[in-house]
Amino acid sequence: MNDLYNSKKVVWGLLAAFVIVWLYVLGVRTLVPPDEGRYAEMAREMWATGDWITTRLNGIKYFEKPPLQTWMNALSFGLFGLGEWQARLWTGLCGLGGVLLTSYTAHRLFGQRTGFYAALALGSTLYWVAGGQIDSLDMGLSGMMTVALCSLLIAQRDAATPAEQRNWMLLCWAGMALAVLAKGLIGVVLPGAVLVLYTLLSRDIAIWKRLHLGKGLLLFFAIATPWFVLVALQNPEQPHFFFIHEHWERFFLKTHHREGAWYYFLLLLIPGVMPWFGLLPQALVQGVKRAPGVFQPKLLLVIWAVFITFFFSYSSSKLPGYILPVFPALAMLIASYLENASRLNRMLAAGLLLLLGVAGLVALPHWIGSAPRHPDERALLEAYQPWVLSAAIVAAAGGALAIFHARQLRRDLTVLTLAIAGFVSVQLILTGFEPYGNLRAGKQLALKMLPELQADTKIYSVSTYEQSMTFYLRRTVILVNYWDEFTFGLTQQPELSIPTVDGFIARWQEHTTQKVKAMAIVSDDAYRDLKTKGVTMRVIAEDSRRLVITNL
């Protein structure tokens, strides 16, 4: 039982089960705001309008990020129709492809068993699994950066032939170009900085002669440049906003109000890399030790993981998904360490998973006790409790079983048990969140609005913007007294919104006088304010977070 990686039936069976579950769960949950609703709606609008150059959200120019994910989601909608799994298909494929490519790379560099372990490690890591099931930009970026990282490792290994070196380096350049189209300049800045640091620490200056710079740069610019040129020609205001505001100011200034302590990402790595955190310190230490040969792949992996983590730790803008690109590197380091890890170290990893499961069982009642006091939301969180409880039980049981296998010197079964427990636990946590996520998205309110809507019905969103409801309504809304992420776009197109509530009231009363039906999405506070001002309205749907009103 210690040679599972050698059994084709076991490997292909595990892969088939993993792929089926991974793809199936893409469609079991509502698109939760803000990110999932935002990027699904942008793609819906792109497909509906046929404009593949100027990206828009709610019909308003939206240049915070490049278009790769919007393109892929729009293409998914065009091929398969509108829906949740279609909106998550691109990120799901990026996450799945990252697991397969990481496994293949570890196999080529470190051996067959390490490749098997790398797939199990990355395919069960909490952050990577969760990221692959959510429609956000971080997994799209991470998938393309994984292409760049793995291609570089395979191309630069000492045994690479000239043809392999050329072809894999060209794929590396293509990966960086797609990473730029996924989320901006970090797609090339981060790999470039890692390579510079690797050169200094390994003293391998000759690696720069093996990068195929000429062909690589031509390919890079051929892929990355056209959209930036076209969008700037159509929207001259885009370059300054994108390159200065969204890169320089986001990194150095606190204008986005996403600050965090310098150790923010270090703390997130602890749950993020579970169930493998017990092996991470040893894997990093092993990675910096010099190995035979010229190229030092483990050192490059350590630099990749450490530099990217500290790069974003220094940034003034911090969100949990920023460090997602480090996990393929960590998975390869952990897999390489697992190849020769002692029984004690394997038991340590299993023991930490067991403790995490027990801690979840103990903390769960306290978490529910501090839940929101609104009856609807509290009831939904209480309904979520059995799912979290099940995830904690699976983690604890998996940790205990892995300890047993480790004591019996069953290496492959120990690793497989940890991987299955980690993967299943994350799926339970994500799937059980659906009722609460449905409420946050306002999906049921959107479905109740649809029968009341006519082709010319105006929908207003007063002092708020519901990121997911517009997707489920299949149409844009008119913003009232709301700016936030639309500030730049509305500066360019002020006619697309109503800047004040009084202006909205005047428009609303005009619709009422003319017997033209209109609807509005409002918060409790906005509703009370409108009621105080004597606005004619009727509530047609409501939940604990917002109301939908009509004038007729």
Side-chain angles (χ1 to χ4, degrees):
M1 297 298 290
N2 271 331
D3 294 317
L4 294 178
Y5 71 96
N6 260 330
S7 171
K8 290 185 177 180
K9 289 183 178 179
V10 171
V11 171
W12 285 105
L14 287 172
L15 178 60
F18 176 70
V19 171
I20 290 170
V21 174
W22 185 280
L23 295 178
Y24 173 76
V25 297
L26 295 178
V28 301
R29 293 174 292 107
T30 304
L31 296 170
V32 179
D35 285 0
E36 290 201 300
R38 177 191 303 122
Y39 297 119
E41 174 60 14
M42 289 178 67
R44 186 196 69 79
E45 293 179 32
M46 176 174 282
W47 183 256
T49 62
D51 187 348
W52 295 75
I53 302 300
T54 301
T55 49
R56 292 180 174 85
L57 175 61
N58 195 46
I60 301 165
K61 291 182 181 181
Y62 192 85
F63 295 137
E64 289 196 4
K65 298 296 183 290
L68 181 62
Q69 181 146 326
T70 307
W71 286 343
M72 294 299 102
N73 287 352
L75 184 60
S76 176
F77 291 153
L79 291 174
F80 307 113
L82 295 173
E84 279 111 359
W85 71 264
Q86 297 93 324
R88 297 189 180 104
L89 183 60
W90 170 245
T91 49
L93 292 177
C94 285
L96 182 60
V99 172
L100 299 178
L101 185 55
T102 297
S103 175
Y104 177 77
T105 304
H107 182 183
R108 296 291 300 272
L109 266 63
F110 308 120
Q112 186 178 350
R113 174 175 260 139
T114 303
F116 179 63
Y117 287 173
L120 293 176
L122 187 58
S124 61
T125 297
L126 187 152
Y127 250 42
W128 193 264
V129 176
Q133 306 296 317
I134 297 172
D135 182 18
S136 73
L137 296 181
D138 296 310
M139 181 52 80
L141 169 69
S142 300
M144 299 307 101
M145 288 186 67
T146 301
V147 170
L149 171 64
C150 291
S151 300
L152 177 67
L153 290 168
I154 295 174
Q156 298 304 321
R157 74 192 200 285
D158 293 343
T161 65
E164 285 181 317
Q165 188 182 100
R166 179 194 66 243
N167 294 338
W168 282 101
M169 278 310 307
L170 290 177
L171 183 59
C172 175
W173 285 102
M176 287 190 291
L178 291 172
V180 170
L181 286 174
K183 209 173 180 184
L185 295 179
I186 58 172
V188 66
V189 169
L190 294 182
V194 168
L195 188 61
V196 170
L197 289 173
Y198 169 80
T199 304
L200 294 175
L201 294 175
S202 68
R203 299 179 182 177
D204 182 12
I205 306 297
I207 192 174
W208 290 85
K209 299 178 182 178
R210 307 192 297 269
L211 298 181
H212 291 269
L213 285 169
K215 295 177 182 177
L217 286 171
L218 285 174
L219 180 61
F220 175 87
F221 286 112
I223 296 172
T225 303
W227 177 78
F228 286 99
V229 173
L230 291 173
V231 75
L233 289 174
Q234 294 185 16
N235 308 273
E237 69 276 12
Q238 188 269 348
H240 181 273
F241 176 80
F242 180 78
F243 290 107
I244 303 302
H245 183 267
E246 285 300 305
H247 283 77
W248 181 267
E249 293 179 0
R250 179 183 287 269
F251 187 83
F252 290 105
L253 304 181
K254 298 181 179 180
T255 55
H256 290 79
H257 305 292
R258 294 171 178 170
E259 311 92 83
W262 64 268
Y263 50 81
Y264 177 85
F265 290 115
L266 297 179
L267 291 179
L268 287 180
L269 275 175
I270 298 174
V273 79
M274 292 299 291
W276 311 102
F277 180 73
L279 301 169
L280 181 58
Q282 305 95 308
L284 291 172
V285 171
Q286 183 197 64
V288 299
K289 295 179 180 178
R290 188 167 187 87
V294 176
F295 182 58
Q296 301 293 306
K298 292 181 184 177
L299 177 61
L300 191 143
L301 290 171
V302 172
I303 295 170
W304 179 279
V306 172
F307 173 75
I308 292 176
T309 300
F310 279 95
F311 175 88
F312 287 116
S313 296
Y314 181 78
S315 172
S316 295
S317 178
K318 295 181 176 69
L319 288 175
Y322 286 0
I323 58 167
L324 197 59
V326 310
F327 288 95
L330 295 180
M332 282 187 268
L333 289 169
I334 290 169
S336 177
Y337 178 75
L338 273 169
E339 175 78 25
N340 298 302
S342 67
R343 177 173 66 176
L344 180 61
N345 281 320
R346 291 196 295 272
M347 289 177 65
L348 174 62
L352 282 178
L353 183 61
L354 171 60
L355 287 176
L356 178 64
V358 172
L361 293 173
V362 173
L364 190 57
H366 300 285
W367 175 65
I368 293 297
S370 62
R373 296 305 173 187
H374 192 285
D376 291 346
E377 298 201 14
R378 185 177 181 84
L380 290 174
L381 287 177
E382 288 176 349
Y384 186 35
Q385 182 174 359
W387 292 88
V388 180
L389 179 66
S390 298
I393 292 173
V394 168
L401 184 58
I403 291 175
F404 173 76
H405 288 315
R407 286 176 59 87
Q408 301 298 316
L409 299 178
R410 299 166 180 163
R411 282 192 298 174
D412 290 3
L413 275 177
T414 302
V415 178
L416 179 60
T417 300
L418 287 171
I420 292 174
F423 181 73
V424 172
S425 296
V426 178
Q427 296 304 333
L428 289 169
I429 291 172
L430 290 174
T431 303
F433 189 74
E434 163 55 15
Y436 191 68
N438 191 295
L439 171 66
R440 284 189 56 189
K443 181 178 180 179
Q444 296 309 311
L445 292 192
L447 296 179
K448 290 178 181 178
M449 292 173 66
L450 291 177
E452 301 246 3
L453 288 177
Q454 300 169 1
D456 59 347
T457 301
K458 301 291 186 183
I459 305 175
Y460 298 90
S461 188
V462 183
S463 302
T464 186
Y465 176 65
E466 295 292 340
Q467 298 275 9
S468 295
M469 285 186 69
T470 47
F471 176 77
Y472 289 111
L473 289 170
R474 306 295 191 252
R475 62 172 75 188
T476 59
V477 298
I478 301 171
L479 297 177
V480 177
N481 187 36
Y482 187 84
W483 299 84
D484 197 42
E485 60 189 322
F486 295 102
T487 300
F488 173 79
L490 290 177
T491 301
Q492 311 301 317
Q493 302 168 287
E495 70 280 1
L496 296 182
S497 77
I498 300 175
T500 66
V501 175
D502 289 340
F504 160 72
I505 293 174
R507 183 84 61 87
W508 186 264
Q509 291 174 338
E510 181 180 329
H511 292 318
T512 304
T513 301
Q514 297 175 353
K515 303 298 182 182
V516 175
K517 188 172 187 178
M519 302 174 74
I521 303 167
V522 299
S523 65
D524 287 337
D525 290 340
Y527 175 73
R528 285 192 292 268
D529 182 51
L530 294 174
K531 195 172 183 179
T532 300
K533 294 180 178 180
V535 175
T536 301
M537 55 187 172
R538 174 173 59 91
V539 177
I540 60 172
E542 64 179 303
D543 59 26
S544 61
R545 289 175 170 252
R546 77 286 277 177
L547 302 91
V548 178
I549 60 174
T550 182
N551 63 329
L552 297 178

